[in-house]
Amino acid sequence: MKQETEIDLRKLTRELAAMETIRTRYMPVWQEISEYILPGRGIFDKSEPNQGDRRDKKIIDPTAPQALHVLSAGLQGGLTSPSRPWFRLTVSDSELADYAPVRLWLDDVERRIFHVMSQTNIYNSLHTLYQEVGAFGTGCMLIEEDIRHILLAQTFTVGEYFLSYGVDGRPNRFARSFWLTAQQMIEQFDEDNLSDAVKEAYQAGRGDQYFRVCHMIYPDEDARTEIGEMRFLSVYWEDGRVGENKTLKTGRYVEMPVIAPRWEVTGGDFYGRAPGWDTLGEAKTLQLLRKNYLQAAEISIAPPLVGHNSLRRSHAHDNVFRPNSITYVDGTDPNMGFRPLYQVQPDANGQVAAIMDSREIIKKAFFADLFLAILRNPDKNMTATQVNAINQEQMMMIGPVFERLDYELLDPMIVRVFGIMDRLGLIAPPPEELSGQELKIEYISMLAQAQQMVGLEGIDRLTSFVGTVAQIQAGAGVQPDVLDKIDVHESVDQYARMLGVQAAVIRSDEAVAEMQALRQAEQQQAQQMAAMQQMAQAANQGAGAAKQAADAGLLDTSGEQPEDTAGLDGISQMLGVPD
């Protein structure tokens, strides 16, 4: 039995502090993104828990938040739609992948995974994750095994977690520092592991009092690398009790349970950048433009006034240059009453044009045109060709992001869900042919297929060109041998694979070979029958001619029939042809 790994909370606390130092330089930008693009998200004050205070006070024009919502909804529907298949399982060996028992097992596993994901909170968590990735550049989601729900997903927000990545570009260490009430700690952890302060607060009726908890998931350096080994450790501890080396809870994972995708990465940075970074300056500019426009409109409607001191009333007025303010001065005609302090003639058209330009810049940065076209399309079965035709330029620009999300989000998520289901006995045993084979994941979502349209267009153009050349050859009386250049069966397999067609719809090469052999045998038999019928008809015609000649006295009928004539008569009898 493997010896338990010793846990040193002092060491873990030092590592957490080092991870926090790396994250510090990102915090100011994240906070501004939260204030101008994604209000309500992010934790930036670790001295006290987030009490739900309002953080959208700097937003006058909601274009940036709305564009981000379109982006996250578009990624949800285009990459991981709950209503349509978006990935398929296969193996590297194409012949093995088309083998009927293997293909049926792979299809069954796909159906089971889709069903489990649709019955859990993973799609809701993905939507929140896409918002975090699109705004802050990095998202973080923890997928836990759960006996009742099979799996539970939890998406964190920036400021409450720390990450470090391995050489493979995936997180190898995760930590967070967060607040829990005394009530929550009593429910989540063993009471014997809690501090006296927590237990006293709970017993005194202060169950809503907050305490800070730390959590870290990291590789177990003592774990072996065999399949099934728990290779990651999970440790919870109460902040302030490091010297006691008292953990609240420990656990182990086979796979890394934390999925942390990034929009794009600069150099060796741990945290990514996203449209939220690119549009932060424009979002701030838009708020200023909108504020100036509203102020100009207000001053135009209710300008500040100036009047003689004799018009001053008993109550005080603010002598400031703002709408509806009044400034009293001497040296003016008291009979003139009030008049505008200065004439305001704002360039309303210019201001509106500047606001519209700013909005368009933000929408384009969030790929709003691309995703709105998908979301607004009344045809829920919109094809990948139609998606690709919407805006090929934006599809090309966002293509690398999709590839990164495949690698950093979707691949590890499917592996994690598959591992949990397999350990819970929800995956049927694989066929023997898959022993030692590594499963591969192919993505067939709407956006994934749109990226593959280049390959499909190539097949379409090639087959169209070859067909044209074949017609020209046939018209010239030449055998259309150009058709021999195309492997028709392989082109169908490739086309179906790019379209994401279920493997059960396409016959395997073995089944096609059997059908072709049977068809060829039937054709040969039909040809033989036709030839025999022709021979029988010829024999009957010859026999009739001989009979007519005999009746006319032209033949000697006293002797035996020639040998070949007897043979023809036998054939006629076999085919049932009357004499």
Side-chain angles (χ1 to χ4, degrees), residues 400-548:
V401 178
F402 294 156
E403 295 175 3
R404 181 176 291 278
L405 291 178
D406 288 347
Y407 181 76
E408 295 187 359
L409 169 61
L410 303 183
D411 285 357
M413 182 178 68
I414 295 173
V415 170
R416 175 66 174 158
V417 173
F418 178 90
I420 291 175
M421 293 177 61
D422 188 37
R423 288 187 290 275
L424 294 178
L426 300 177
I427 301 294
E432 294 181 358
E433 291 79 4
L434 286 178
S435 177
Q437 293 287 331
E438 182 179 357
L439 297 184
K440 293 179 58 181
I441 304 171
E442 294 181 352
Y443 295 102
I444 56 174
S445 64
M446 184 188 303
L447 293 175
Q449 291 181 35
Q451 285 186 281
Q452 296 178 357
M453 284 297 100
V454 176
L456 293 181
E457 290 177 2
I459 296 177
D460 287 336
R461 293 179 181 180
L462 177 62
T463 54
S464 177
F465 171 76
V466 172
T468 301
V469 175
Q471 291 178 357
I472 294 175
Q473 287 182 319
V478 179
Q479 178 67 24
D481 56 357
V482 69
L483 297 176
D484 298 336
K485 292 290 292 183
I486 295 182
D487 187 338
V488 179
H489 294 165
E490 181 61 25
S491 65
V492 172
D493 289 341
Q494 293 288 345
Y495 210 100
R497 188 174 297 112
M498 291 180 182
L499 290 177
V501 177
Q502 288 290 330
V505 178
I506 305 298
R507 290 190 175 95
S508 65
D509 293 341
E510 292 80 6
V512 171
E514 291 178 2
M515 292 179 61
Q516 291 176 339
L518 179 61
R519 187 183 299 115
Q520 185 176 5
E522 291 175 349
Q523 291 175 350
Q524 290 177 350
Q525 184 178 5
Q527 292 173 355
Q528 291 176 355
M529 293 290 291
M532 294 173 68
Q533 288 178 353
Q534 291 177 357
M535 293 173 62
Q537 291 176 359
N540 287 335
Q541 292 175 357
K547 186 174 184 302
Q548 291 177 358

Side-chain angles (χ1 to χ4, degrees), residues 326-347:
I326 302 176
T327 300
Y328 298 96
V329 297
D330 294 323
T332 60
D333 186 356
N335 296 323
M336 293 182 61
F338 293 103
R339 68 178 186 274
L341 179 61
Y342 53 88
Q343 297 295 329
V344 178
Q345 295 179 346
D347 181 9

Side-chain angles (χ1 to χ4, degrees), residues 182-312:
Q183 176 71 39
Q184 292 172 327
M185 296 184 70
I186 289 289
E187 294 174 354
Q188 186 171 350
F189 306 116
D190 188 343
E191 188 172 350
D192 294 337
N193 296 334
L194 299 176
S195 66
D196 293 337
V198 174
K199 290 185 283 189
E200 290 174 0
Y202 178 75
Q203 294 170 359
R206 302 192 309 274
D208 57 349
Q209 181 176 340
Y210 281 95
F211 295 87
R212 196 161 189 82
V213 177
C214 299
H215 178 208
M216 183 175 289
I217 299 175
Y218 58 99
D220 185 358
E221 298 176 355
D222 298 329
R224 298 187 301 274
T225 58
E226 287 87 352
I227 296 177
E229 185 67 32
M230 297 290 189
R231 296 187 292 112
F232 292 89
L233 285 171
S234 171
V235 180
Y236 290 85
W237 71 93
E238 190 176 342
D239 195 14
R241 301 184 67 198
V242 176
E244 303 176 35
N245 206 44
K246 185 73 172 180
T247 62
L248 295 174
K249 182 181 177 181
T250 60
R252 290 180 178 272
Y253 298 102
V254 176
E255 311 94 6
M256 181 58 169
V258 174
I259 293 133
R262 298 165 292 183
W263 185 273
E264 64 180 10
V265 183
T266 302
D269 288 352
F270 285 164
Y271 301 94
R273 285 171 168 77
W277 287 68
D278 300 334
T279 60
L280 177 58
E282 196 62 44
K284 296 167 71 173
T285 300
L286 178 59
Q287 306 313 316
L288 180 60
L289 291 172
R290 185 68 170 168
K291 181 180 179 180
N292 291 341
Y293 174 79
L294 294 175
Q295 286 180 337
E298 187 177 11
I299 291 177
S300 299
I301 297 172
L305 303 176
V306 63
H308 193 269
N309 270 326
S310 61
L311 300 175
R312 186 189 300 272

